[in-house]
Amino acid sequence: MRVIPATEFALKREVDYGSAQQNEAVKSIIEEVRRDGDAALRRFAERFDGVRVDDLRVTKQEIEAAYEQVDESFLAAIRAAAANIRRFHEKQLRSSWMDLQADGSILGQVIRPLRRVGLYVPGGKAAYPSSVLMNAIPAQVAGVPEIVMVTPPATAGAEGINPHILVAAAEAGVSEIYRVGGAQAVAALAYGTESIPAADKIVGPGNIYVALAKRYVFGAVDIDSIAGPSEIVVLADETADAAYVAADLLSQAEHDEMASAILITPSPELAEAVAREVDRQLSELPRRDIAAQSIRDYGAILTVTSLEEGIDAVNRLAPEHLEIIVREPFQHLGKIENAGAIFLGPYSSEPVGDYFAGPNHVLPTNGTARFSSPLNVDDFMKKSSVIYYSKEALLRDGEQIIALARHEGLDAHARAIQIRLEKEGTNHG
Amino acid sequence: MRVIPATEFALKREVDYGSAQQNEAVKSIIEEVRRDGDAALRRFAERFDGVRVDDLRVTKQEIEAAYEQVDESFLAAIRAAAANIRRFHEKQLRSSWMDLQADGSILGQVIRPLRRVGLYVPGGKAAYPSSVLMNAIPAQVAGVPEIVMVTPPATAGAEGINPHILVAAAEAGVSEIYRVGGAQAVAALAYGTESIPAADKIVGPGNIYVALAKRYVFGAVDIDSIAGPSEIVVLADETADAAYVAADLLSQAEHDEMASAILITPSPELAEAVAREVDRQLSELPRRDIAAQSIRDYGAILTVTSLEEGIDAVNRLAPEHLEIIVREPFQHLGKIENAGAIFLGPYSSEPVGDYFAGPNHVLPTNGTARFSSPLNVDDFMKKSSVIYYSKEALLRDGEQIIALARHEGLDAHARAIQIRLEKEGTNHG
């Protein structure tokens, strides 16, 4: 693993916006689903998934059968994780509120769950039960009454059913599951078909076609952020255990070749020791080819002259995951401006958060922690402003409102106030 | 104004995604700004605005001079509105929080303002001081240290300076103002130039080029929602004053030809009276051509058999603005699922909210209130998760975390936990 000064390092990975061909394909799939509904979904299942789908919806019996197929320890672990995730997200809940004014007016915000949310779950090996929990539970906690999961038929169909995904969905409060994947699933969630009513928001990871489809339908429905390549930054001093740090870097690097794992340290000894440990541990990993390429292309050990300089580098990188393994880590928390999730101390290894502790593992990637947040309960709620103006308040403020409306050349706005002042002012005076 | 049953009505207006030509133009402008920086901004100012711009940044002296040019009553009204907007948005502020666990672990959310926000303000007649307040004050309340305004040089330049915009910006806490408009301004905010550092988020309304540019740079920076055609729905019973209702419908209709103004009522008498009042008041309006076309193309009076049926129609329409002018309006508030801003009672005319009461006038348009919210303080803040796991918690939960990681085939994740259990478990046991 290369060791270089932090000042000489910049991480730049381009987001994949797809080729013109891929964008065209997605557009035509979406249009076909809008036009032909369920029939289009069945055609695409045959063409792309090689599966004939009769019932688009997964039945209650199939979900019950899935419970028979997973082992006890998996179920226990999923339930423990789900309880932690639920607890953490319940802390985020906010109530509607009112601000009562002396003049009798009431202003406020009504905060409500979305009605219907669609959750995309990829098929095959990329189908992670933990991601089902992380995407569905915040919606459940928000109070979304209809949480709809879609997943390719080769995963959830009679042929290739993945019982762990079905069990995770049931545990996380998913209310409907449909056998449909790819851009066609996104189109169904955005516009609805005979079998699948349209949703208000679509979340969840997917391949490039799913990502492009989400981008395309954005506006007709809401979407979550488009996941880019992900990263971990470990900020560590000489008190850190090199083997722990190396293991944490590799846990990110094994995700994919574009992932980035970076150590920032003022300790030359730790830098050397972690470089050695990464080489040693890498050779033992089942996914060593992926991890090695990630470390080579996007990994680095950055040396700094002080922890303060290290924190500046962290804020520039705005990493998805940040571990702070130093003496007194809380001392530095207040200085961290940009990071998706912050792991403090030697026992808060990234997988603790990926699977179990409770905070969400859907995090802003590729530097977007500058302006984005982990998936959270707010993402599944919407606000409405409430304005109840009293007669007294209108009579008091009316002339100023009229002045502002007139100034902007919006005469009908002014007249809507004027007509009330004329009638009510007379009664009043 | 046409009177039809609510069951026969649907409102469908397409969002403008621009022509291929417009999209190409925007793309090439953005690329030129990325390549040539300030020089590109100056070239575009000459080409599009017909203005030679020397200093891109508006000086303190120009802002002081603007205060000399606006009259007392405007300044007083702007200050009163700003105080109300500030008060309402301060109620939305949230603190970072921690959840302390019995095992010594700490989980939480750090909630912080964005560092730098760009506010687009259109030039010419569409430059509304009220919109400057509505976009900038939530950022100011959130604690954003750098609030940057951009506006075309023909508005803020030496030739066509609009002092009301400059004064509103100063009152709303804008920290820098630049003479640059159009897609090139969006590019400058997204990627930065020699004079204008890049921002984390871009908000504010603009023409189709500005909207397309925001869509294009989304991902590199955050953006607010793209404003579509706007609407008002008035839900009223026989207690409503037909002249008030008609005036409020027209205050929306005067905005533009695509605006929609809809009355929903169970009272045939009110329906007739409002139809007559709209005709009568329309003839007196300076902007009657715009308002008449809006009423003809997108306006309607919808009759329902009950207020409950009316509320169903409201929720289907998901209007930007909703007025409820009925006996006991609060009785129905809990049933309203989809609306950007809800105005209750006869004195809460829409312009009260557009200018003065405090809630934001940047609202979800064209049915997006199903999943979007008024502009608010959360839009200018970001969250980071915090995970501090204790040794005790890790030893307790480690095996379950390993089980989940192994199940998903992510062995390096499992090893990051395993290596700690091996070392710490020994010490522990």
Side-chain angles (χ1 to χ4, degrees), chain A residues 101 107 387 389 401, chain B residues 81 84-85 88 134 351-359:
Chain A
Q101 321 246 331
L107 303 175
I387 299 175
Y389 235 49
I401 300 171
Chain B
N84 288 345
I85 296 166
F88 184 79
M134 292 292 182
V352 168
D354 287 344
Y355 287 109
F356 208 79

Side-chain angles (χ1 to χ4, degrees), chain A residues 111-395:
Chain A
I111 306 181
R112 282 185 166 283
L114 305 187
R115 167 158 289 281
R116 187 171 172 87
V117 166
L119 162 56
Y120 190 89
V121 175
K125 289 202 169 171
Y128 294 139
S130 60
S131 288
V132 174
L133 302 185
M134 292 291 183
N135 280 280
I137 290 174
Q140 187 192 30
V141 169
V144 175
E146 301 173 15
I147 305 174
V148 188
M149 186 174 113
V150 292
T151 191
T155 298
E159 301 74 14
I161 203 157
N162 182 333
H164 299 90
I165 292 293
L166 294 181
V167 166
E171 293 293 323
V174 168
S175 50
E176 301 157 46
I177 304 175
Y178 297 94
R179 284 177 249 278
V180 52
Q184 60 274 23
V186 174
L189 290 172
Y191 302 108
T193 69
E194 303 90 319
S195 307
I196 307 177
D200 299 317
K201 180 160 188 164
I202 304 173
V203 299
N207 65 17
I208 182 68
Y209 293 98
V210 171
L212 294 177
K214 280 165 68 181
R215 206 174 253 281
Y216 188 89
V217 302
F218 175 50
V221 291
D222 197 15
I223 61 168
D224 59 356
S225 55
I226 310 266
S230 71
E231 60 275 330
I232 188 173
V233 168
V234 181
L235 177 69
D237 65 12
E238 73 286 355
T239 66
D241 184 315
Y244 293 4
V245 171
D248 293 355
L249 293 172
L250 289 169
S251 79
Q252 186 62 28
E254 78 169 339
H255 269 300
D256 73 281
E257 294 86 347
M258 292 272 288
S260 172
I262 293 167
L263 167 64
I264 300 176
T265 183
S267 162
E269 294 75 24
L270 184 74
E272 284 307 312
V274 169
R276 275 196 308 273
E277 270 292 323
V278 165
D279 285 344
R280 195 186 64 73
Q281 294 184 23
L282 193 50
S283 65
E284 299 168 0
L285 292 184
R287 293 166 71 91
R288 60 182 161 270
D289 292 348
I290 293 170
Q293 193 179 332
S294 152
I295 292 287
R296 189 177 62 239
D297 293 347
Y298 300 107
I301 295 175
L302 307 182
T303 54
V304 286
T305 55
S306 65
L307 278 179
E308 288 62 41
E309 192 197 329
I311 288 168
D312 288 347
V314 166
N315 285 331
R316 274 198 307 280
L317 289 165
E320 183 188 14
H321 307 89
L322 170 67
E323 289 185 2
I324 305 182
I325 310 184
V326 300
R327 200 181 284 115
E328 297 188 54
F330 274 94
Q331 192 183 316
H332 306 282
L333 181 58
K335 306 261 175 60
I336 304 301
E337 287 196 28
N338 304 322
I342 304 167
F343 298 77
L344 299 166
Y347 309 115
S348 312
S349 176
E350 190 202 300
V352 168
D354 287 345
Y355 287 110
F356 207 78
N360 213 288
H361 78 196
V362 180
L363 296 168
T365 56
N366 205 22
T368 59
R370 286 187 296 119
F371 50 77
S372 296
S373 304
L375 192 69
N376 64 87
V377 169
D378 293 340
D379 292 326
F380 298 100
M381 307 196 82
K382 62 191 171 176
K383 300 155 196 146
S384 301
S385 303
V386 173
I387 299 175
Y388 172 75
Y389 235 49
S390 67
K391 183 171 165 180
E392 182 186 334
L394 186 72
L395 292 175

Side-chain angles (χ1 to χ4, degrees), chain A residues 94 112 244 334 338 382 424, chain B residues 112 244 334 338 382 424:
Chain A
R94 280 193 296 176
R112 282 185 166 283
Y244 293 4
N338 304 322
K382 62 191 171 176
E424 310 290 342
Chain B
R112 282 185 166 283
Y244 294 2
N338 304 322
K382 62 190 173 180
E424 311 289 343

Side-chain angles (χ1 to χ4, degrees), chain B residues 23-245:
Chain B
N23 277 283
E24 265 315 303
V26 163
K27 195 176 157 188
S28 98
I29 290 167
I30 291 172
E31 282 166 4
E32 198 168 326
V33 172
R34 285 189 82 167
R35 196 184 60 225
D36 297 342
D38 287 348
L41 299 183
R42 292 204 170 85
R43 277 198 299 275
F44 289 127
E46 292 216 35
R47 193 187 311 165
F48 297 135
D49 305 302
V51 177
R52 220 193 100 129
V53 175
D54 293 317
D55 288 333
L56 284 163
R57 185 158 177 183
V58 172
T59 63
K60 203 179 264 194
Q61 289 72 30
E62 289 173 86
I63 295 163
E64 282 164 10
Y67 272 88
E68 305 297 319
Q69 293 170 61
V70 304
D71 62 36
E72 284 289 325
S73 68
F74 171 81
L75 188 58
I78 278 284
R79 284 186 170 158
N84 288 345
I85 296 166
R86 200 166 282 124
R87 174 184 164 131
F88 184 79
H89 287 80
E90 279 168 354
K91 299 266 172 192
Q92 301 167 21
L93 273 170
R94 281 192 295 177
S95 300
S96 302
W97 56 267
M98 289 187 301
D99 182 19
L100 308 174
Q101 321 245 333
D103 60 32
S105 298
I106 299 174
L107 304 175
Q109 270 186 326
V110 173
I111 306 181
R112 282 185 166 283
L114 305 186
R115 167 159 288 281
R116 188 170 170 90
V117 167
L119 162 56
Y120 190 89
V121 175
K125 289 202 170 169
Y128 294 140
S130 60
S131 288
V132 174
L133 302 185
M134 292 292 182
N135 280 279
I137 291 175
Q140 186 192 31
V141 169
V144 175
E146 300 172 15
I147 304 174
V148 187
M149 186 174 114
V150 292
T151 190
T155 298
E159 301 75 13
I161 204 157
N162 183 332
H164 299 90
I165 293 292
L166 294 182
V167 166
E171 293 293 323
V174 168
S175 49
E176 299 157 49
I177 305 175
Y178 296 95
R179 284 177 250 277
V180 52
Q184 60 274 24
V186 174
L189 290 173
Y191 302 108
T193 69
E194 301 91 317
S195 308
I196 308 177
D200 299 317
K201 180 160 188 163
I202 304 173
V203 300
N207 64 17
I208 182 69
Y209 293 97
V210 171
L212 294 177
K214 280 165 68 180
R215 204 174 254 282
Y216 187 90
V217 301
F218 175 49
V221 291
D222 197 16
I223 60 168
D224 58 356
S225 55
I226 310 266
S230 71
E231 58 276 328
I232 188 172
V233 168
V234 181
L235 178 68
D237 65 11
E238 72 287 354
T239 65
D241 184 314
Y244 294 2
V245 171

